[in-house]
Amino acid sequence: MRQVTVVENLLLRQKERPMASGRFTRLLTELILSAKIIDREVSKAGLLDVLGVTGEVNVQGEIVQKLDDFANKVIIRRMERAGVLCAMVSEENADFIEIPHRFPTGDYILVFDPLDGSANIDANVSIGTIFGIYRRTSFGDQAVTLSEILQKGAMQVAAGYIIYGSSTMLVYTAGDGVHGFTLDPSVGEFLLSHPDIKIPEQGKIYSVNEGYSMYWDEPTRKIVDYFKSNDNSLGRPYSLRYIGSLVSDFHRNLLYGGIFMYPADMRDPRKPSGKLRLMCEAAPMAMIIEQAGGMATDGTRRILDIEPQELHQRVPLFVGSKSDVEIVQRYYADAR
């Protein structure tokens, strides 16, 4: 049976939309090429001088890994030339990135985490690139403004991630289901391998860093105790699986069912809402999981309904199988 590439899949879907201009296809094509370049470096990282840290600290206060910096530069340099963007937001950059005047522009905005899980790079753990795509809300020759970029996740026209692991996969949605493509290194193409992914209604896995439990509030502790007990909907404890890379934990739970949790904690007064970024991480994953039949919440609010107030706003994240996330909402509602 003939396998379908990402571009072929996009073109087939484009024909179903009479108003489609092909610019989205161009955007994703350039992003895929960026992913292939990053994958090439990841796959031979131990042989190149790309392991370790740069000695710099990013806007998040995190130590920058060499491969993280490389991935960020690759995406920015390729995407600014694509002719379809008016701005970009990277987890690694303090401000949004305007497209230089020497390049043509479009009406899309790309928000991305160039290399999620970068703290695990040296340990050869799966890592990934997360992205969300928006349209600007005004048109004309005026420069894009911050207010146009600060859109809630429900306004995304597409979202996805590329996971660099035992195989390299692109998982994305454009609002019509979630589809997975695996990179075939022999032909250099992402081929459709997981059409119309659906997460199980209920999972058997919970993913959370329990080492931080002393910093959680009482409802969060009760939630985790529920998943660890026999007194739950399974009648036995859920299995704990935590890699520490959002892309990796999310991808496993998407396929097998389960819930990923990164709650708020009180360790750092600068991060009362936890670690994960609303725009670069939580919103894209929320769009994917909802399109696959799951849910994403900060405990009380739907992630896609949260209006960002700043580029690097942080948010608690509970994402996964619908019935498991509903348990989280119930515990927080009871605590109010």
Side-chain angles (χ1 to χ4, degrees), residues 55-188:
E56 299 177 356
V57 176
N58 69 9
V59 65
Q60 315 296 339
E62 300 162 342
I63 296 173
V64 178
Q65 302 286 331
K66 290 181 181 178
L67 202 53
D68 215 345
D69 183 59
F70 172 81
N72 192 45
K73 289 177 178 176
V74 166
I75 294 173
I76 291 172
R77 289 172 181 171
R78 286 221 61 87
M79 299 310 299
E80 67 183 4
R81 293 166 168 78
V84 295
L85 298 178
C86 59
M88 290 179 276
V89 175
S90 168
E91 182 187 304
E92 298 299 319
N93 294 62
D95 300 315
F96 70 85
I97 304 158
E98 294 186 77
I99 305 301
H101 293 301
R102 65 183 181 276
F103 299 129
T105 59
D107 59 356
Y108 286 108
I109 299 166
L110 175 67
V111 180
F112 65 95
D113 179 350
L115 212 57
D116 172 76
S118 57
N120 292 315
I121 290 172
D122 290 2
N124 203 23
V125 173
S126 295
I127 52 183
T129 299
I130 303 171
F131 63 91
I133 300 169
Y134 297 81
R135 285 186 186 273
R136 70 179 301 185
T137 55
S138 64
F139 302 93
D141 298 328
Q142 297 85 2
V144 67
T145 63
L146 179 60
S147 62
E148 291 182 275
I149 293 173
L150 294 177
Q151 301 180 46
K152 61 184 180 181
M155 300 301 291
Q156 292 175 111
V157 296
Y161 60 85
I162 301 100
I163 182 169
Y164 312 104
S166 54
S167 62
T168 299
M169 279 191 67
L170 163 68
V171 177
Y172 91 97
T173 179
D176 53 359
V178 179
H179 310 285
F181 299 79
T182 300
L183 180 63
D184 183 343
S186 66
V187 296

Side-chain angles (χ1 to χ4, degrees), residues 216-229 327-328 331-332 334-335:
W216 297 339
D217 59 21
E218 189 63 23
T220 304
R221 293 178 187 175
K222 288 181 178 179
I223 288 165
V224 174
D225 286 343
Y226 169 88
F227 290 120
K228 293 165 61 175
S229 74
I327 293 295
V328 171
Y331 271 93
Y332 279 116
D334 291 345

Side-chain angles (χ1 to χ4, degrees), residues 236-285:
R236 59 181 175 80
Y238 282 53
S239 296
L240 170 62
R241 298 286 185 270
Y242 185 72
I243 298 169
S245 165
L246 172 60
V247 166
S248 301
D249 282 308
F250 180 95
H251 185 70
R252 179 201 56 243
N253 292 357
L254 175 66
L255 298 180
Y256 298 161
I259 182 169
F260 173 89
M261 300 178 281
Y262 205 110
D265 62 54
M266 297 170 285
R267 286 174 300 144
D268 189 335
R270 297 170 302 172
K271 303 174 184 177
S273 296
K275 179 183 178 182
L276 300 178
R277 268 64 58 162
L278 172 60
M279 294 196 69
C280 294
E281 297 169 308
M285 293 311 206

